[in-house]
Amino acid sequence: QVQLVESGGGLVQAGGSLRLSCAVSGRTFSTYAMGWFRQAPGKERVFVAEIIGSGDSTSYTDSVKGRFAISRDNAKNMVYLQMNSLKPEDTAVYYCVARRPSVGRYEYWGQGTQVTVSS
């Protein structure tokens, strides 16, 4: 069983930065693809970023490219999302997610952490 616990959310002014962290339990963490989704008030949950098990490949939704960076530390079972140049439209609950490499959908979800960007 995989458990995900996010931290690092909070209130920040537009143009500021935050780093989200996700602590992951599970012996096979290094094989899992990890990602972040977000859900803004009144909107659907959407994909933000993903990183494969080795960390060699990442992908991002267009709206965060060049501003956000996903990374992982397989020795510590941690995933990070560095968010720079934050905008009010980045305000959302951010969820850490995990999936086995053979599975096409995300299987495991954290409880979420709130990020609020003030203008």
Side-chain angles (χ1 to χ4, degrees):
Q1 187 73 357
V2 176
Q3 292 186 326
L4 312 173
V5 179
E6 304 97 334
S7 61
L11 173 64
V12 63
Q13 289 188 333
S17 298
L18 280 177
R19 189 175 83 152
L20 304 184
S21 299
C22 177
V24 185
S25 67
R27 297 179 180 178
T28 57
F29 168 74
S30 63
T31 67
Y32 281 72
M34 302 296 301
W36 293 90
F37 277 63
R38 67 185 181 187
Q39 186 169 22
K43 296 187 177 181
E44 295 185 350
R45 200 172 294 186
V46 297
F47 168 81
V48 175
E50 177 182 81
I51 186 168
I52 65 172
S54 66
D56 291 341
S57 178
T58 59
S59 61
Y60 300 89
T61 191
D62 286 346
S63 63
V64 308
K65 285 180 180 177
R67 300 189 298 123
F68 289 12
I70 188 171
S71 62
R72 66 191 295 161
D73 185 337
N74 286 343
K76 296 182 178 179
N77 278 28
M78 294 292 294
V79 180
Y80 307 98
L81 185 68
Q82 179 66 43
M83 306 185 294
N84 300 325
S85 302
L86 283 161
K87 305 175 181 180
E89 51 264 43
D90 294 319
T91 294
V93 177
Y94 284 72
Y95 297 90
C96 180
V97 295
R99 64 175 177 85
R100 288 169 289 172
S102 60
V103 178
R105 61 176 177 79
Y106 278 99
E107 305 169 86
Y108 304 100
W109 293 72
Q111 293 298 308
T113 185
Q114 177 70 46
V115 171
T116 303
V117 184
S118 63
S119 57

